[in-house]
Each structure stands twice: as C-alpha cells, then as structure tokens.
Amino acid sequence: MRRLAQILRNGRSWLLDYAYAGFWQLHGLLLPSDATAYLRVPGQGRSPVVLLPGIYERWQFMRPVADMLHDRGHPVHVVDRLRWNTAPVAASAEHVRAYLQEKDLRDVAVIAHSKGGLIGKYAMLHEDPERRIRQMVAIATPFAGSSYARFFLLRSVRAFSPADQTLRALAEQLEVNRRITSIWGAFDPHIPGGSRLQGAVNVVLRTSGHFRILGQPELLEAVDRAVGAPG
C-alpha cells in the first residue's frame, strides 16, 4: 500500500509539474512581459541578480523568483540572447559573459533553473576571469545528468545524459562548487537522481517537482536565504 501511495503521489507531481510548465509557456508566448521593469529598484538597491532559465524556457518561468528578489531590492537581469536556451552549454555561457561585461555587472548572484545551472557553473569556471559572479543558486539542475535523457531524440535534451562529455567535465571541476547552492525537490520527475553537488550547499525541499517548485513559498524562502548568506 505504501508503494502504491508513493506512485500516486509521484504521478500527481508529474501532472502538477506539466500544468505549471504549460501555464508559463503560454504566459510567455501570449502575454510577454517587459523584463526591463525588474532593473529598476528604489535607491541604490542590492547586488544584481541574473536569471538563467532551463531548456525551452523563457525568463517568465522564473517570474515568481524574479518578483521575490526584486521586492527585496535586487535589480534582476535577463540574458535575452539565450532565447529558448537550446544552444550548447559552452555557447550559452559565452552569452552570459558578454552580458556581464556589457552591463559591467559585479557581485552578481546567478539564479538558475535546470540547464541554467550548468550554464552558470560553466560560466563561473571558464567565462568569468574577473569573478563578476559572486555565487549561484541552482534550482533542479542535472549536475550529474538525467537517466531519462537517452530516451529523447532531440540532441539538445540528450545532452543531459550522464555520459555527456560537458557534464562529466563540469562534474570533475569542483573549485567553484563552494559558491553554489543547489536546491531541488523531494521528487523531481525529470532528474530522478536529484541535484546533489559535491562541495556545494545542498538543500532538499519538502515540495516535489521540477518546474512547479519555482512558484512554491518553500523554494522562494530558500533562494532568499541563499542570496542573503555571506559569500
């Protein structure tokens, strides 16, 4: 009976996850929001935040996080050049570097979801010689890959296989992990192995999901604590 109850809970998590994803996909397509409004904060504001969404996601997927951090006084930046975030991790990290340099951003907190966390770590390792990025909070990021990736025909999704060379190289490089907080759900429908990262601050939520945790108070509180923690 306990096994059946767990299967039913996990099935519910799948449904809620796709409902959240579907809502924000439509929101981004039909009701695009002006991200520049998040750059304006009263007074001098706090340290800048850069959002890195996951694959096939626009920044609106992370809007609850953006709203919370903006309300706390952080100017929130969006890297539009990522578009639907289907490019290889290394190429996307170059876009992040270019954005940080163009805007002359420093003391940056990167807030990333899923693939965005891989891009963020790659940027910290290879595209940030001036250490403009202070820290990264990675949400539901497949640092060790996902066993489901090999079942997809799309190359952009198969890149999340645990055997992918970029993923393996990132996993072997530990020097920036201490500046990363990795947060993931109790059950992630897309990353069955979780998002634990060696040497990082690892936070497992009580809430389940891959997408919908982005809008959960528990996640928002965890992100707020991580960004406010001393580096």
Side-chain angles (χ1 to χ4, degrees):
M1 290 296 293
R2 281 184 295 182
R3 174 65 174 167
L4 177 59
Q6 184 63 52
I7 291 173
L8 291 174
R9 282 195 297 270
N10 290 350
R12 180 175 180 272
S13 293
W14 277 92
L15 292 174
L16 291 174
D17 227 33
Y18 282 116
Y20 181 96
F23 173 83
W24 285 109
Q25 284 284 23
L26 287 174
H27 188 281
L29 290 170
L30 302 179
L31 298 170
S33 301
D34 182 6
T36 60
Y38 287 89
L39 299 177
R40 298 187 291 272
V41 292
Q44 293 185 341
R46 300 172 70 182
S47 58
V49 165
V50 173
L51 300 182
L52 298 181
I55 189 171
Y56 299 119
E57 297 176 9
R58 303 305 292 261
W59 73 270
Q60 285 91 344
F61 261 77
M62 302 181 70
R63 182 156 187 174
V65 179
D67 287 342
M68 182 274 293
L69 290 171
H70 186 258
D71 289 345
R72 298 290 191 274
H74 296 275
V76 179
H77 293 256
V78 173
V79 184
D80 287 326
R81 293 176 190 171
L82 294 178
R83 300 177 64 81
W84 288 97
N85 207 1
T86 57
V89 167
S92 298
E94 291 178 5
H95 290 319
V96 174
R97 172 192 52 77
Y99 186 89
L100 296 179
Q101 291 180 343
E102 288 170 8
K103 303 299 181 181
D104 194 23
L105 298 182
R106 299 178 186 276
D107 195 34
V108 171
V110 168
I111 313 298
H113 178 239
S114 195
K115 180 185 178 181
L118 302 176
I119 297 168
K121 181 174 178 181
Y122 194 101
M124 293 169 78
L125 285 165
H126 306 293
E127 300 290 345
D128 191 25
E130 299 177 272
R131 196 163 167 171
R132 293 171 180 266
I133 299 173
R134 181 185 78 248
Q135 67 175 135
M136 179 171 69
V137 181
I139 304 162
T141 292
F143 287 113
S146 171
S147 57
Y148 298 149
R150 66 181 185 274
F151 298 116
F152 285 80
L153 296 177
L154 293 171
R155 184 177 181 180
S156 56
V157 179
R158 291 204 313 274
F160 300 128
S161 165
D164 180 78
Q165 290 185 351
T166 298
L167 277 181
R168 291 169 68 91
L170 285 174
E172 291 170 357
Q173 295 172 295
L174 308 179
E175 55 265 36
V176 300
N177 288 7
R178 62 185 178 83
R179 293 194 278 137
I180 298 174
T181 298
S182 181
I183 307 173
W184 68 98
F187 167 70
D188 188 321
H190 300 280
I191 312 174
S195 300
R196 185 170 298 278
L197 182 65
Q198 182 181 346
V201 176
N202 291 287
V203 180
V204 186
L205 305 177
R206 296 184 300 275
T207 311
S208 292
H210 183 77
F211 302 109
R212 77 182 186 97
I213 59 173
L214 289 167
Q216 296 298 307
E218 183 185 12
L219 181 279
L220 300 178
E221 291 168 6
V223 171
D224 191 24
R225 285 195 302 270
V227 173

